[in-house]
Amino acid sequence: MGDDAARWSPIESEPWYAARDATAALRDVLVSAGLEKDFPYLQAQMNAFGHGLVELGRVSPETAERLAELLDRALTCEWPADAACPRGHRSAADDIGEEQQR
């Protein structure tokens, strides 16, 4: 067999570090939400093409429902117009203001 032209090292790969950083950020949020034990397969990976991936893995139906609930709350969260939204999220007032300007 000839040389495999698809040689790469995760240590020298920007996609690997991006996947690792995203996995760490998600891990921190899951810990804050008390869900650290519910995502046992969470890990950073690289595929055969050198693309960084975040593997969430399998979860129980209860965990999926809890995650859906948290995402729903985040999407419908309304912040007072004068309050700074944590973690850089936009407020519903910001979205409404943009729609009215259109």
Side-chain angles (χ1 to χ4, degrees):
M1 295 245 155
D3 282 342
D4 182 1
R7 288 188 204 175
W8 43 263
S9 167
I11 296 172
E12 300 169 1
S13 172
E14 183 64 32
W16 159 248
Y17 287 103
R20 184 192 67 174
D21 293 345
T23 300
L26 182 56
R27 178 204 59 216
D28 293 346
V29 172
L30 291 171
V31 168
S32 294
L35 293 171
E36 68 275 7
K37 293 181 181 177
D38 297 314
F39 286 83
Y41 299 103
L42 178 65
Q43 58 185 301
Q45 295 183 352
M46 283 189 70
N47 68 10
F49 303 102
H51 300 140
L53 302 168
V54 176
E55 173 69 40
L56 298 177
R58 298 171 295 226
V59 298
S60 70
E62 295 82 11
T63 298
E65 287 176 4
R66 174 80 170 125
L67 182 60
E69 177 185 322
L70 291 171
L71 290 171
D72 185 54
R73 284 184 183 184
L75 291 172
T76 59
C77 183
E78 292 197 29
W79 300 96
D82 60 344
C85 200
R87 300 180 65 92
H89 295 171
R90 298 168 47 84
S91 71
D94 292 336
D95 294 336
I96 292 169
E98 281 185 9
E99 288 177 15
Q100 291 174 348
Q101 289 177 357
R102 290 184 193 157

